[in-house]
Amino acid sequence: MKSYVLTNVLFLLCLSSLFGQKNEEDAIQKLLENETEAFTKMALADVVKTYWIMDEKTLLIATMPDGNHIQEKLSDLLSHTEVPPEGHAKVQKMDFQFSIFDQSALASFKQTVTTEEGDKVNSHEIRFLEKVNGVWKIHVSSVHQYMPKGDE
Amino acid sequence: MKKYTTLLILFFEVSAIFSYAQSADELAIKLTIEAETVAYLGKPFSKVLEEFWIVDDNTTIDASTPDGVHLHLTKVELLQMSDIIPESGQSATKKYDYHVLIDGNTAYVTFSQEVNMLEDGQKIYSHEIRILKKIDEKWRLHNSSVHQYLPRE
């Protein structure tokens, strides 16, 4: 009887841990979707102020298919104050993978941006996030844009 | 008064131990990253994976080069990679501008890298990211993101 109770407690603990993990994944995915949505209609500086941790480790690294490359620290990110035309791009994220730890998380996913003109920009993306006062925020972003091969 | 002095000393000792542990981990992480690069230049790739990496369904290497080539490698591709050893001893690698974030047994690292090809003087610059995990007291790489670039004039 005692072992039956213990097994049940263990099962419930596992279930609650899995549920907790799923909740965190959902919260992170929602944040990433919201940040991208904001990026399509707000100045980057405002997006960063809303969704990012702002300190000396804040970093955005991106490489484009033409070899162009940017590495932007906090001061660079906050210098982008121009507001893009709303609705100029539609963004789809897929194949999310999460590694969630105590107060930090790694998320990787694929992204396709479709512009108003119909052009598509594909990328493999990585984010480091940290939880600040119970809210997930982005700390580092890595963007590898690429031209899809035949099978992608 | 004596009680407060003891508490204060205890507080400083705990802080010192904590910051020592943090810096010891930072050092161990940097040494692991540097050793993996050296191994990559001198050992079969399967050995590099075995010694330095966690290879599972979340393992990834992303690399983009200035000519527009992009690689996205997962466990399957990594385990199929050739064991040809890159010609070692013909380049010098410098890593700098490290930023290390440690959360328990996980670390997020960003740094810049400059590889100097000694034969022709060509330089390869990159901004790099690594995610590592500590398993049985040893830091191991789990994800790598490499952005090679041409420096602006």
Side-chain angles (χ1 to χ4, degrees):
Chain A
M1 181 64 186
K2 205 173 179 180
S3 68
Y4 174 75
V5 174
L6 273 175
T7 310
N8 273 348
V9 169
L10 197 64
F11 176 73
L12 285 173
L13 278 175
C14 288
L15 206 62
S16 111
S17 161
L18 279 175
F19 188 66
Q21 168 88 4
K22 182 75 178 70
N23 276 349
E24 296 290 19
E25 286 183 7
D26 288 347
I28 291 168
Q29 186 166 337
K30 184 83 182 151
L31 168 94
L32 296 174
E33 307 268 5
N34 287 345
E35 192 252 3
T36 303
E37 180 66 22
F39 182 67
T40 63
K41 56 190 176 196
M42 283 165 68
L44 181 57
D46 293 328
V47 175
V48 169
K49 285 175 196 166
T50 311
Y51 295 100
W52 287 59
I53 291 170
M54 297 193 291
D55 64 17
E56 77 287 352
K57 291 179 180 173
T58 304
L59 194 63
L60 165 69
I61 309 175
T63 304
M64 278 60 100
D66 61 1
N68 265 326
H69 169 76
I70 54 165
Q71 190 213 35
E72 303 222 323
K73 296 183 178 179
L74 181 61
S75 56
D76 307 310
L77 292 168
L78 293 178
S79 70
H80 298 292
T81 53
E82 67 280 13
V83 179
E86 191 166 343
H88 70 286
K90 286 201 167 75
V91 183
Q92 189 188 4
K93 296 182 195 294
M94 64 218 96
D95 294 349
F96 275 95
Q97 284 196 315
F98 300 96
S99 298
I100 301 174
F101 316 102
D102 185 18
Q103 297 296 310
S104 61
L106 175 74
S108 62
F109 56 91
K110 282 187 189 177
Q111 182 170 284
T112 303
V113 177
T114 308
T115 64
E116 268 182 324
E117 295 77 26
D119 294 329
K120 289 191 182 221
V121 181
N122 297 281
S123 55
H124 287 119
E125 311 249 346
I126 297 170
R127 304 283 185 275
F128 301 167
L129 303 102
E130 286 182 75
K131 212 181 216 180
V132 181
N133 299 326
V135 179
W136 287 104
K137 295 213 167 213
I138 298 166
H139 209 175
V140 176
S141 173
S142 168
V143 179
H144 291 269
Q145 290 183 1
Y146 64 96
M147 302 296 284
K149 292 174 191 146
D151 57 344
E152 290 189 83
Chain B
M1 182 63 189
K2 195 175 171 188
K3 199 173 173 183
Y4 288 115
T5 311
T6 311
L7 272 175
L8 203 60
I9 290 169
L10 193 65
F11 173 75
F12 278 120
E13 280 180 356
V14 168
S15 300
I17 289 167
F18 179 77
S19 77
Y20 174 75
Q22 175 85 2
S23 60
D25 267 329
E26 274 198 34
L27 180 63
I29 287 163
K30 286 178 189 171
L31 288 174
T32 300
I33 291 170
E34 309 261 350
E36 194 257 1
T37 302
V38 172
Y40 175 73
L41 295 170
K43 287 184 179 181
F45 190 67
S46 58
K47 284 278 168 208
V48 178
L49 286 180
E50 190 183 314
E51 280 182 38
F52 294 96
W53 281 77
I54 297 163
V55 181
D56 64 19
D57 291 340
N58 284 337
T59 305
T60 53
I61 296 180
D62 279 284
S64 294
T65 52
D67 57 4
V69 172
H70 170 67
L71 296 173
H72 176 74
L73 306 172
T74 60
K75 177 183 168 182
V76 177
E77 291 89 18
L78 291 172
L79 292 176
Q80 287 173 348
M81 273 181 68
S82 157
D83 259 347
I84 294 170
I85 303 170
E87 290 179 33
S88 59
Q90 297 181 350
S91 62
T93 304
K94 184 169 73 170
K95 298 182 200 291
Y96 55 97
D97 201 13
Y98 270 101
H99 285 291
V100 181
L101 292 159
I102 300 172
D103 181 14
N105 288 325
T106 304
Y108 308 88
V109 186
T110 60
F111 60 91
S112 297
Q113 180 170 286
E114 182 185 313
V115 178
N116 193 351
M117 309 303 286
L118 300 178
E119 273 183 2
D120 56 9
Q122 190 198 346
K123 289 186 176 184
I124 301 167
Y125 297 91
S126 55
H127 291 123
E128 311 239 352
I129 297 173
R130 302 283 185 276
I131 290 89
L132 301 94
K133 289 184 185 168
K134 201 187 208 178
I135 295 179
D136 297 332
E137 295 306 306
K138 189 183 173 193
W139 286 100
R140 285 179 170 268
L141 298 153
H142 202 192
N143 309 88
S144 172
S145 174
V146 178
H147 293 264
Q148 288 184 8
Y149 67 96
L150 297 172
R152 295 187 185 120
E153 299 297 321

